[in-house]
Amino acid sequence: AEDAEREYGLENPTFSPVYAGFRNNEDISKINKTGDPAFSTDATITSDVDVYDITADVSGLSSKNYQFAARGNKGTLTVGKATLTVAANNETREYGTANPTFSPVYNGFRNNEDISKINKTGDPAFSTDATITSDVDVYDITADVSGLSSKNYQFAARGNKGTLTVGKATLTVAANN
């Protein structure tokens, strides 16, 4: 089989044959073959990131001038990491108070997984330009994913960032005695 690749959590692609050993300047279109090779691999939709053999079964092929044999050097299926995007949950606070602790939102899980099932290391870091003295306004919360890793996922900061909304503080007014 021709080498192939896919991301973790996706179906295997359709495998394509690679033929070798033609004579007389022939190719597969000129030999009047019947049947097609069948391909198999141990990789399933839930298989971890790795490289898997693709094995050819040529028992369904025939031709007048050629016999078919599966090549010893098999094709390979490379299962690569899927991408999880990370952003901060939107938050609010009052003017003059400290920023809350920001929490992540992950998108892109495969195989009914969630953050508790993927054996990740590290945590995203979040930053914003808003300080305790920042005016009432809406501020971006930016994710830094450089400290994250996982066997089957790579991490990317999501383009649409989280927001911190700084709202007005309440002043109370009373008359002097």
Side-chain angles (χ1 to χ4, degrees), residues 54-118:
I54 305 169
T55 304
D57 175 359
V58 297
S59 61
L61 290 168
S62 65
S63 169
K64 181 176 182 178
N65 294 322
Y66 293 94
Q67 64 182 356
F68 294 89
R71 239 185 348 197
N73 55 337
K74 301 172 182 177
T76 59
L77 171 65
T78 302
V79 176
K81 291 185 177 194
T83 299
L84 283 180
T85 58
V86 183
N89 277 307
N90 296 333
E91 298 287 346
T92 60
R93 70 163 174 87
E94 284 187 0
Y95 169 78
T97 61
N99 289 335
T101 301
F102 301 122
S103 60
V105 177
Y106 299 92
N107 284 320
F109 290 104
R110 305 271 170 84
N111 299 320
N112 295 314
E113 294 174 328
D114 60 37
I115 200 63
S116 68
K117 296 177 183 172
I118 68 165

Side-chain angles (χ1 to χ4, degrees), residues 2-8 12-13 15 41 43 48-54 75-81:
E2 187 172 58
D3 292 343
E5 56 185 50
R6 69 164 172 88
E7 283 186 4
Y8 168 76
N12 289 333
F15 301 122
T41 182
D48 286 335
V49 169
D50 208 340
V51 177
Y52 299 86
D53 285 339
I54 305 169
T76 59
L77 171 65
T78 302
V79 176
K81 291 185 177 194

